[in-house]
Amino acid sequence: MISKETVLQQMSYNLDSIDIEGVGNKIPGKVRDSYVVGDKRLLVTSDRLSAFDVILSTIPFKGQVLNDMAAYWFDRTAHIIENHIISRPHPNVFLAREAEILPIEVIVRGYLTGSAWRDYHGGKDVSGIKLPEGLRKSEKFAEPLLTPSTKAAHGEHDEPISSEEIVKQGIVSAPLWEEVSQKALELFEFGSKVAAEQGLILVDTKYEFGLLDDGNGGKKLILADEVHTSDSSRYWIKDKYAEAYETGEEPPKLDKEFVRAWLIEQGYLGEGTPPSFEDDFRAEVALKYIEAFETITGQTFEAKPKNIKDDVQAAISGLKLG
Ligand SMILES: Nc1ncnc2c1ncn2[C@@H]1O[C@H](COP(=O)(O)OP(=O)(O)O)[C@@H](O)[C@H]1O
Ligand SMILES: [Mg+2]
C-alpha cells in the first residue's frame, strides 16, 4: 500500500474545488462538482470530506479513490443495469450521460444500524416499514430492506418516505418504482456477494437512478451517480461481525465510518463548529480510504503526488465535448 509519507506529500495539492474553464457553469455538490455540456455531464470528484451533510476537510487522494471504487462497481454491475458512465478522462473525473434523476435516494439495508436503528429504537417505523419487535442493533434482516428517502434541497436533510407514498404522491409511477426496487435489490444482492468474497459485509448503500431517452420515443432506466463507494455505502469486516453483534457493539467498519466515529467521540453530531482536522489525522483518513478501496476491489491503489487542479484542467481542455 501507498505510504503515509506519500499521502502527506499530496496534502498541499488536495482538490478542494475547481473552476474548469470552457465548460459552462459549475453545479456544486457536497463532494462532486458538475458541469453540464449538452446531453453530457462532467462529474469532478473533489477531495472534500463530508459527514452529517457538512463539508469538514479535504483528504489526500480521496477523489481518485472514490472514482476508482465507482469505476470498479459500475463495470461489475453492468450486467444488471446500464449506467451513466461514458468515459473517465482523468482519475478524478467521469464523463456521464446527463439523466433525469429520480428525486428519491434509493437506500437498501441488509442490517439494522445507522438511522434505521435510530428510528426503530425510537419506536418509529423505517421508511414506512413496520419491523418486528425485539430486533437488536446490527441485526441482519431476513431479507434486505428498501428504505427510500426524499432527496432534500441543498442544506436540508433527507426524509424517509415509504414506497407507497412515493407512488401515491406521483413522485415515481408504480411500474417505474417496481423496476427501480427490483434493480436496487438485485444490485445490493450482487454487491453483498462480491463484498463477502473479500471478507466484507455490504451493510447498506444508496443508489440514484435516472431516466434517459431510449431512442424510440420512450425512456429507459439507468444507474447514475456513484455505486457501492465508501461515501454511499457502509461496509463491515465480516470476521469481526459475530462477536461485535453478540456484545452489542458496533462492528468494525471501513473508511468513512471511521471519521464519523471520531467525530461522535469529539461530541460532534453535525451541529455547531466541527473539530479541526490535523494533517496527521487527515493522512490517516486517506490511508483508510485507500485500504477500503484495496480491500473491496482486491486491487492496488496507484497514485503519485501531483497538482490535481492543473492536471484536471489539462485533461478536460483536450476533450471533445458537445
Ligand atoms: N448522470 C447524471 N445526470 C444528472 N445528474 C447526475 C448524474 N449523476 C449524478 N448526478 C448528480 O450529480 C450530483 C453529484 O454531486 P454530489 O457531490 O454527490 O452532490 P450532493 O451534494 O447532492 O450529494 C448529485 O446531485 C447527483 O444527483
Ligand atoms: Mg451525493
Side-chain angles (χ1 to χ4, degrees), residues 5-58:
E5 211 181 342
T6 307
V7 170
L8 282 164
Q9 278 168 20
Q10 180 65 13
M11 195 73 71
S12 60
Y13 296 135
N14 287 354
L15 188 64
D16 180 356
S17 72
I18 182 171
D19 290 295
I20 302 178
E21 283 160 39
V23 284
N25 289 335
K26 176 161 83 176
I27 308 166
K30 282 186 293 287
V31 171
R32 284 160 300 159
D33 295 327
S34 301
Y35 298 85
V36 177
V37 189
D39 58 355
K40 301 186 184 72
R41 172 177 286 239
L42 271 175
L43 277 157
V44 182
T45 309
S46 73
D47 294 323
R48 297 192 290 271
L49 174 74
S50 92
F52 303 109
D53 291 335
V54 179
I55 297 161
L56 297 161
S57 184
T58 57

Side-chain angles (χ1 to χ4, degrees), residues 29-32 105 151 206 208 225-226 231-232:
K30 282 186 293 287
V31 171
R32 284 160 300 159
E105 308 260 12
K151 249 167 112 47
K206 181 211 74 175
E208 286 186 31
D225 206 51
E226 56 188 329
D231 269 8
S232 65

Side-chain angles (χ1 to χ4, degrees), residues 11 17 69 73 105 139 271:
M11 195 73 71
S17 72
M69 282 189 201
W73 282 112
E105 308 260 12
E139 186 152 339
E271 308 288 334

